[in-house]
């Protein structure tokens, strides 16, 4: 038995660069990009081949394309598979440009060693305007963002960015470039013009001479060809795979039980020790002392450690570790936070808004003169909205297996940010990143929770302290009560209407602004005078990105208040929105489509009504209509109709799945999601008091897709979330006349 104390420096709250933070750091200034960092590297096949294509007969054509001796094409994908189907769709995009035989396409998870930084993801998260940079600036941008990506550990899966960055700007280009390299190799070997060679189903064909060959025959020679970094991509009219609902490659293993998640993986041939952990119940506190006398006598217990900000029991099995940990009495230090209760948190928010008043705070967006317009408005309305702290609650518990030996560390974990996890381990145990290997399996859900790496650092510290290969697992209670959270927030809104009910002035002030920065702006509505302000107030609980991030709060605030303006104007809420969309044809088309789908305006059955909301997030416009039945006195959701414009949807079935999942996720939060603070600690602990939406409560969901043409591709994983809560509360208002300005809903009908 042993007891040990240890302290560490915590990483930044999100562990990544934000666009505002990046600009503030001086890399971008005055809209100008610092030039001269470098140009994009050539085809690094020689360096990467031993890492990803070491099998017999395997050839690496370029960084993303591997071809086997049996003509199997493997797409090397840098994003994690967490149920969203990204491995399949990215491979689908690459295979289409490559003219590969889909039946012989496989997917490989790219290694988390720094070689597969996704520069375009770094661009989207740091400085999105560079996505449309002029071609002649591209090499310098590429060099700059490769360096930024490395600094920011920008190998991540989040922000609904995988398809619209890696897919569009890496996988498609890699597939088209590899096709060109294969054609070039065959043209040289056959002595024919490259323009006469066609490709089909992983086969090179020269029709004039009757020659043909599988890609595998020319893969090695193709790797020696120059790689075109700007190959011609297919127009939509020539797609064979993109735009089709092709079956996902990850489903069979999930059905037959062979899929490997973080909690399943471990070093081969070694007996593991298991760690159960208990973190401080109140953020910012630590363990002064512990009494572990009873735990020392319990079966299977190997070590009991006081690690400062958490205590752990290491045992032969997780059950034994968890049972022993339950007997450990810990004396935690006192919290310095003035926030002790939920009421304290919202009082702090209210104080910040009170101090800002009608003109103060930091102005983050606006146009016209909102103050003057309020003075001349025929009608003024005001409202205050609030949302609570929320947990992510992924089904796979937080876990990490670590093996520390000879100054190196191997880590097996489910993470959205493998390179950031590697950095967290390096910081926590004091070794170089190059001495850390991250094994990166599938994720059993995340929703932003696995964008942070505190649990990975904890496992590495335990492994180093014990000397064992250790699998650390957080209990459900641990992750509900002591994790990272979607921030609570308070928002005050004012609107000025002219004599015709037209919205002429709009003012919004709130306390939390994180990412995306534009989430708080009702940009697509034609409102001539707007003022968007933030009066920052501290959060008691640590926060992390939660599915749709700030759109999850702001979508509820904005779309609920637009509904209030429509009611004040005596207008139909959908028609009121349409009247403000003359300059936004894509948004108007989405709203008209959802009106058609839902038969908006048709007489409703007694006790039922419909509500509408529309939010643009992550490049996708999503409008939803909810039909709710209030005849029992409590909300019963009948149907949700969703119309979405993501520019072009690469896999319609997968896209619908993501929108449906986002709606269910959002409705769970809208109905039940809430974390209460008592004595500074979260009270909810498991699914009995942090409820999920049940099957019998789930509405019928119908999704329509609009492919609007030559516009940037939007995301799928997050855009289904923001409109759901306001569509539901707006429907409840339409049915009852009661306006719900706070969430969750269910307790207001208890």
């Amino acid at each position: 038995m042993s007891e040990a104390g240890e302290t560490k420096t915590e990483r930044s709250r999100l562990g990544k660069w934000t666009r505002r933070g990046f600009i503030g750091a001086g890399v971008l200034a005055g809209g100008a990009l610092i030039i001269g960092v470098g140009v994009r590297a050539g085809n690094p096949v020689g360096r990467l081949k031993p890492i990803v294509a070491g099998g017999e007969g395997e050839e690496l054509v370029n960084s993303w394309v591997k071809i086997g001796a049996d003509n199997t094409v493997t797409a090397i994908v840098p994003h994690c598979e967490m149920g969203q189907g990204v491995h399949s769709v990215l491979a689908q995009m690459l295979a289409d440009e490559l003219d590969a035989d889909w039946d012989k396409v496989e997917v490989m998870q790219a290694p988390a060693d720094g070689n597969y930084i996704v520069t375009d993801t770094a661009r989207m998260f740091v400085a999105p305007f560079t996505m449309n940079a002029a071609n002649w600036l591209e090499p310098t941008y590429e060099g700059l963002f490769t360096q930024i990506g490395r600094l920011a550990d920008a190998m991540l899966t989040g922000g609904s960015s995988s398809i619209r960055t890696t897919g569009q700007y890496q996988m498609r280009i890699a597939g088209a470039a590899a096709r060109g390299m294969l054609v070039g190799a065959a043209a040289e070997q056959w002595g024919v013009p490259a323009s006469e060679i066609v490709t089909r189903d992983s086969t090179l064909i020269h029709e004039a001479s009757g020659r043909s060959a599988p890609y595998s025959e020319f893969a090695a020679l193709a790797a020696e060809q120059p790689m075109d970094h700007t190959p011609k991509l297919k127009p939509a009219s020539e797609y064979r795979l993109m735009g089709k609902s092709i079956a996902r490659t990850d489903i069979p293993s999930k059905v037959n039980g062979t899929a490997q998640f973080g909690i399943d993986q471990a070093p081969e041939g070694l007996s593991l020790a298991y760690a159960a952990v208990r973190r401080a119940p109140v953020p910012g506190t630590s363990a002064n002392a512990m009494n572990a006398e009873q735990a020392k006598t319990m079966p299977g217990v190997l070590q009991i450690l006081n690690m400062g900000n958490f205590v752990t029991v290491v045992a032969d099995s997780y059950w034994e570790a968890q049972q022993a940990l339950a007997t450990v009495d810990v004396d935690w230090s006192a919290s310095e936070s003035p926030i002790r209760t939920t009421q304290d948190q919202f009082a702090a928010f209210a104080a910040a808004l009170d101090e800002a008043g009608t003109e103060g705070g930091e102005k983050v967006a606006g146009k016209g003169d909102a103050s003057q317009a309020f003075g001349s408005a025929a009608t003024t309305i005001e409202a205050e909205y609030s949302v609570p702290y929320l947990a992510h609650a992924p089904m796979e518990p937080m876990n990490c297996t670590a093996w520390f030996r000879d100054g190196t560390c191997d880590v097996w974990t489910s993470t959205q940010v493998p390179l950031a996890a590697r950095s967290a381990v390096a910081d926590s145990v004091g070794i170089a990143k190059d001495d850390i290997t991250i094994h990166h399996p599938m994720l059993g859900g995340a929703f932003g929770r696995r964008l942070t790496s505190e649990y990975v650092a904890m496992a590495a510290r335990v492994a180093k302290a014990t000397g064992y290969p250790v699998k650390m697992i957080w209990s459900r209670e641990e992750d509900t009560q002591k994790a990272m959270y979607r921030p609570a927030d308070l928002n005050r809104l004012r609107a000025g209407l002219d004599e015709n009910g037209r919205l002429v002035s709009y003012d919004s002030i709130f306390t939390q602004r994180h990412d995306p920065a534009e989430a708080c702006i009702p940009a697509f509505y034609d409102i001539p005078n707007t003022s968007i302000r933030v009066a920052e107030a501290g959060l008691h609980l640590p926060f992390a990105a939660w599915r749709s991030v700030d759109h999850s709060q702001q979508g509820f605030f904005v779309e609920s208040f637009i509904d209030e303006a429509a009611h004040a104007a005596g207008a139909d809420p959908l028609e009121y929105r349409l009247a403000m969309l003359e300059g936004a044809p894509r948004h108007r088309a989405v709203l008209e489509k959802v009106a058609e789908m839902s038969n908006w305006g048709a007489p409703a059955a007694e006790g039922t009504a419909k509500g509408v909301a529309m939010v643009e997030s992550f490049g996708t416009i999503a409008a939803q209509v909810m039909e709710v039945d209030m005849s029992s006195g409590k909300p019963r959701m009948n149907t949700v109709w969703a119309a979405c414009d993501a520019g072009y949807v690469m896999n319609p079935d997968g896209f619908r799945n993501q929108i449906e999942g986002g709606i269910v996720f959002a409705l769970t939060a809208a109905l039940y999601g809430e974390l209460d603070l008592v004595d500074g600690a979260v009270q909810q602990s498991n699914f009995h008091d942090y409820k999920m939406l049940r099957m019998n409560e789930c509405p019928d969901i119908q999704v329509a897709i609009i492919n609007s043409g030559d516009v940037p591709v939007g995301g799928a994983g997050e855009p289904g979330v923001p409109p759901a809560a306001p569509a539901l509360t707006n429907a409840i208002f339409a049915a009852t006349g009661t306006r719900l300005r706070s969430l969750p809903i269910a307790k207001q009908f208890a």
Side-chain angles (χ1 to χ4, degrees), residues 13-16 82 125 155-159 392 398 414-417 420-421 443 446-455 544-546 549 718:
R13 292 180 294 178
L14 288 180
K16 70 178 181 70
M82 53 185 177
F125 277 87
M155 184 181 183
L156 60 87
T157 306
H392 299 76
M398 308 309 293
S414 299
T415 175
Q416 293 172 257
V417 284
L443 283 61
F447 316 119
R449 176 65 184 94
R450 290 183 161 98
L451 284 169
T452 64
S453 301
E454 79 287 3
Y455 61 98
W546 187 90
V549 207
E718 304 185 77

Side-chain angles (χ1 to χ4, degrees), residues 475-706:
S475 67
R476 179 64 59 186
E477 290 77 9
E478 195 68 20
D479 193 40
T480 302
Q481 296 182 322
K482 305 162 192 176
M484 313 288 282
Y485 303 98
R486 199 287 301 271
D489 199 5
L490 188 67
N491 186 200
R492 290 177 183 168
L493 299 115
R494 292 186 301 147
L497 284 66
D498 65 15
E499 61 277 4
N500 297 316
R502 180 171 175 260
L503 189 53
V504 294
S505 189
Y506 176 98
D507 177 70
S508 172
I509 184 167
F510 46 91
T511 72
Q512 302 300 314
R513 183 173 183 244
H514 303 292
D515 291 300
E518 72 276 7
C520 55
I521 305 169
F524 49 81
Y525 289 128
D526 181 17
I527 307 172
N529 303 285
T530 61
S531 174
I532 315 296
R533 299 172 291 135
V534 61
E536 293 187 357
L539 293 167
H540 177 68
L541 297 180
F543 76 91
W546 187 90
R547 193 173 186 175
S548 82
V549 207
D550 281 11
H551 285 290
S552 72
Q553 300 105 318
Q554 293 294 338
F556 174 60
F557 298 155
V558 173
E559 283 299 291
S560 296
F561 195 58
I562 292 294
D563 229 61
E564 294 209 42
H567 178 68
D572 175 273
L574 193 143
E575 295 296 333
Y576 193 75
R577 288 171 169 82
L578 282 173
M580 294 190 289
L581 295 174
E582 291 300 325
R586 289 179 63 199
H587 298 78
R588 186 177 181 87
V590 169
L591 199 55
E592 289 174 338
K593 181 63 178 179
V594 82
E596 174 192 335
M597 295 167 65
S598 63
N599 198 17
W600 183 270
E606 185 175 354
T608 68
K610 294 172 183 172
V612 64
M614 180 169 63
V615 179
E616 180 180 0
S617 63
F618 304 95
T620 294
I621 305 163
Q624 295 174 20
V625 168
M626 166 75 72
E627 182 181 75
V628 65
D629 183 349
M630 295 298 299
S631 58
S632 69
K634 295 183 178 182
R636 169 74 185 178
M637 301 174 295
N638 290 338
T639 307
V640 179
W641 296 271
C644 304
D645 180 352
Y648 188 89
V649 170
M650 294 296 170
N651 187 308
D653 186 56
F655 184 89
R656 288 189 182 93
N657 291 343
Q658 285 294 285
I659 297 299
E660 291 167 359
I663 290 170
V664 173
F665 187 86
L667 293 178
T668 290
L671 281 169
Y672 302 122
E674 183 176 37
L675 296 173
D676 294 309
L677 297 173
V678 175
D679 292 330
V682 172
Q683 293 304 290
Q684 285 75 13
S685 61
N686 208 316
F687 291 134
H688 70 289
D689 57 4
Y690 192 75
K691 293 180 65 176
M692 300 287 111
L693 194 71
R694 300 299 182 100
M695 289 292 289
N696 66 316
E697 300 172 301
C698 191
D700 178 45
I701 301 174
Q702 299 181 25
V703 179
I705 295 170
I706 298 173

Side-chain angles (χ1 to χ4, degrees), residues 29-43:
L33 189 63
I34 295 175
I35 298 175
V37 176
V39 297
R40 84 169 92 221
N43 190 13

Side-chain angles (χ1 to χ4, degrees), residues 219-231:
L221 292 174
E224 299 174 1
Q225 290 282 315
M227 185 170 66
D228 185 354
H229 289 279
T230 57

Side-chain angles (χ1 to χ4, degrees), residues 127-199:
F129 67 87
T130 62
M131 295 294 287
N132 298 315
N135 288 337
W136 66 271
L137 286 176
E138 179 67 19
T140 303
Y141 278 131
E142 185 77 20
L144 173 63
F145 277 93
T146 296
Q147 299 306 316
I148 294 167
R150 293 184 187 279
L151 289 172
D153 288 333
M155 184 181 183
L156 60 87
T157 306
S160 292
S161 63
S162 301
I163 304 303
R164 58 199 181 115
T165 60
T166 304
Q168 286 288 82
Y169 298 99
Q170 300 282 349
M171 307 308 283
R172 289 187 65 187
I173 290 173
R179 176 188 171 279
M181 296 162 78
L182 288 160
V183 168
E188 286 186 7
Q189 190 76 8
W190 291 342
V192 300
S195 60
E196 294 182 3
I197 296 176
V198 297
T199 52

Side-chain angles (χ1 to χ4, degrees), residues 42-58:
N43 190 13
V45 166
R47 173 166 50 84
L48 294 178
K49 188 176 186 300
I51 302 171
V52 297
E56 185 176 353
E58 291 185 337

